[in-house]
Amino acid sequence: MQNTKVSLPEDFRGVHIHFVGIKGTGMAALVEILFHKGAIITGSDVSERFYTDEVLEKLGLRSVPFAAENITDEVQFVIYSSAYKLDKNPDLIEAVRRDVPCLLYTQALGAYSERAYSCGVCGVHGKTSTTGLVGTILKEIDLPSQVLAGSVINSFGGTCTYTSPLVATENTVVEPVEMTCAGGFDKLNHRSIFVAETCEYQRHFMSFCPQKIILTSVESDHEDYYPTYEDIRQAFIDYLCKLPVGGEVIFCADDKGACETVNLARAQRPDIVALPYGESTAAVSFAGNCNCFSDGDFAVKFGKVENERNCFSLGLFAKKGDFALSMPGRHEVLDAAAAVALVCRLLVTYGKNPLDYYENIKAGLLKFSGGKRRSEIVGRFTNKNGADVLVLDDYGHHPTAVKTTLEGYREFYKGRKIIVDFMSHTYSRTQALLREFARCFTAADVVILHKIYSSARENPADFDITGRTLYEAVLATGQKNVHYFEEILSAADFAKAELEKPLDPEYPDGYLFVTMGAGDNWKLGKEMCKAAGGRC
């Protein structure tokens, strides 16, 4: 068996690393990071084309089929996705035979985080958007930083990562300073900032080595691995307890699970500094939290939603002015508040005054436009009646995410009729959260549902629930205009007909057609654009 303690080299220049499962979102993002550090990259995966193929092609890379021949004498390290096993995949079997060091993606990410001033973004909801927001703000800030998100971020230039020009490929050491409670500064002697989205599934984030953590939310999810809420909450507690002495957690004061998690973590580790953000910051207070900020500095005050912009203010910048976000939903504003809080803490860590960077932060927030499958605009066309049709795709697959996202659309796109096509992901999640799923579509005018998008880690025969079960549960709530089609494209004719109906006066702006979920029902949105004659 491979040694799980394998680490990565200090200098990546000229180091040949082979990625098994290179098209995975996290894998492709790590490829970007190491490529820009000077590594020689090769990789293998299935032949099916994914959006990450474009990320790799921008680097001049391409995936090859799995084969033992991929592991040549030049390969010095192998990084592999958890979807592939050392004793099953031909690349990995050959690497083990040759005694080439092999690291899981999470191990490699953790090893990389050890050499930087690393910050982990975690939570059941909002990880990708929050990480993307952090990176987009940091693009406007003179700090040496790298950011790795769990999806392509538009404002990163269509890639999963952002690397500041201040991050030297030769691994130049920088010396951040941390303000102490006494008002002095202590040198930390870390390298550049590294911010990464870190995932709770199977406790993957436990490989990461954070100096600071953003915690957006904690609630029941991944029921195949965490049967109870207490199980998943404990994983987050354990992750927070990985913080060093005096390490910081920036948490959502509006999320009950996040507040519980922070309280329980601090019961074990009172030295952890807890900094709240959100509307409810006044309701949480941690005595002895001498962190150079007050608990109200990242209190959110929601402003107007107009001209497809979310306006809001934060306590610390109240005298400077408001911020605006070109993304729908109050949940996105909360993610923005978390991102601003982390950037402000990093500025202080590097001996800078956050108030001097108000305009930079404001500009970064306004430049953020989401990412792949995160309120992504797929297309736009005019129907035969002259009505505007906007087609979006979103990855939301937990009932809380679905509900808050649709409510955000309702507020942001006030004058549009909303049709949502949803495909539930995993039998275990659908069964455990059926009641919540049944009530999460109330902001939509028309709901289309399908069979459950299964996971390879589940056997559908082990469950009594089906997609039709969810459909009947939604109907039982009294919601009208709910429809079921077992297969995705079986709903195409119905969706086309719905998008051609004359609109009531309450919808002067047209239609919003949303595909939502972690499955492949995004194909229906593409079909709607195709049916419109390519006017997308």
Side-chain angles (χ1 to χ4, degrees), residues 162-308:
Y162 161 68
T163 298
S164 162
L166 296 176
V167 176
T169 55
E170 60 269 21
N171 294 318
T172 301
V173 174
V174 295
E175 294 186 343
V177 291
E178 183 72 54
M179 184 169 287
T180 66
C181 293
F185 291 89
D186 293 331
K187 289 188 177 182
L188 299 179
N189 296 316
H190 279 281
R191 292 187 170 88
S192 57
I193 297 161
F194 179 51
V195 181
E197 177 177 339
T198 56
C199 181
E200 72 278 5
Y201 184 61
Q202 294 183 340
R203 301 171 71 91
H204 285 159
F205 51 24
M206 293 303 290
S207 295
F208 199 76
C209 300
Q211 301 289 328
K212 293 174 170 53
I213 289 174
I214 289 178
L215 176 61
T216 64
S217 53
V218 179
E219 63 177 300
S220 184
D221 197 14
H222 306 298
E223 287 76 12
D224 60 313
Y225 190 80
Y226 301 113
T228 69
Y229 163 68
E230 289 74 19
D231 291 329
I232 195 170
R233 185 181 65 188
Q234 187 59 52
F236 282 103
I237 291 169
D238 292 344
Y239 184 42
L240 297 192
C241 288
K242 286 203 71 179
L243 286 165
V245 173
E248 299 173 342
V249 55
I250 297 163
F251 72 100
C252 184
D254 300 343
D255 186 85
K256 180 182 177 182
C259 292
E260 288 179 355
T261 300
V262 170
N263 274 314
L264 290 167
R266 292 189 81 247
Q268 298 178 39
R269 289 276 311 282
D271 63 284
I272 292 175
V273 173
L275 185 64
Y277 67 90
E279 282 191 289
S280 308
T281 56
V284 295
S285 179
F286 297 106
N289 232 13
C290 188
N291 56 17
C292 311
F293 285 89
S294 74
D295 284 341
D297 280 341
F298 300 103
V300 175
K301 184 176 181 181
F302 292 98
K304 292 182 179 179
V305 179
E306 54 185 4
N307 301 321
E308 297 189 353

Side-chain angles (χ1 to χ4, degrees), residues 293-366:
F293 285 89
S294 74
D295 284 341
D297 280 341
F298 300 103
V300 175
K301 184 176 181 181
F302 292 98
K304 292 182 179 179
V305 179
E306 54 185 4
N307 301 321
E308 297 189 353
R309 284 191 180 182
N310 257 317
C311 298
F312 66 99
S313 64
L314 293 175
L316 180 65
F317 297 96
K319 293 182 180 179
K320 290 283 189 178
D322 291 348
F323 297 107
L325 198 62
S326 298
M327 294 294 293
R330 292 192 166 208
H331 61 293
E332 290 282 5
V333 171
L334 291 175
D335 292 344
V340 173
L342 177 59
V343 170
C344 287
R345 287 302 300 143
L346 288 170
L347 285 166
V348 169
T349 298
Y350 280 73
K352 301 175 185 290
N353 185 348
L355 293 176
D356 294 337
Y357 289 83
Y358 165 74
E359 293 294 342
N360 307 75
I361 293 169
K362 182 178 179 180
L365 289 173
L366 204 50

Side-chain angles (χ1 to χ4, degrees), residues 14-79:
V15 177
H16 188 154
I17 305 173
H18 182 74
F19 284 75
V20 176
I22 194 171
K23 296 185 184 184
T25 303
M27 293 280 279
L30 188 57
V31 164
E32 287 186 81
I33 292 282
L34 299 185
F35 179 87
H36 290 301
K37 283 289 187 180
I40 299 169
I41 305 291
T42 57
S44 54
D45 213 316
V46 297
S47 59
E48 181 182 355
R49 187 170 180 82
F50 295 95
Y51 70 84
T52 50
D53 278 293
E54 296 180 16
V55 174
L56 299 173
E57 287 163 2
K58 287 181 180 179
L59 302 176
L61 304 174
R62 66 180 183 87
S63 170
V64 297
F66 297 123
E69 291 75 21
N70 295 330
I71 309 301
T72 64
D73 291 339
E74 287 73 35
V75 173
Q76 295 166 268
F77 292 88
V78 171
I79 297 174

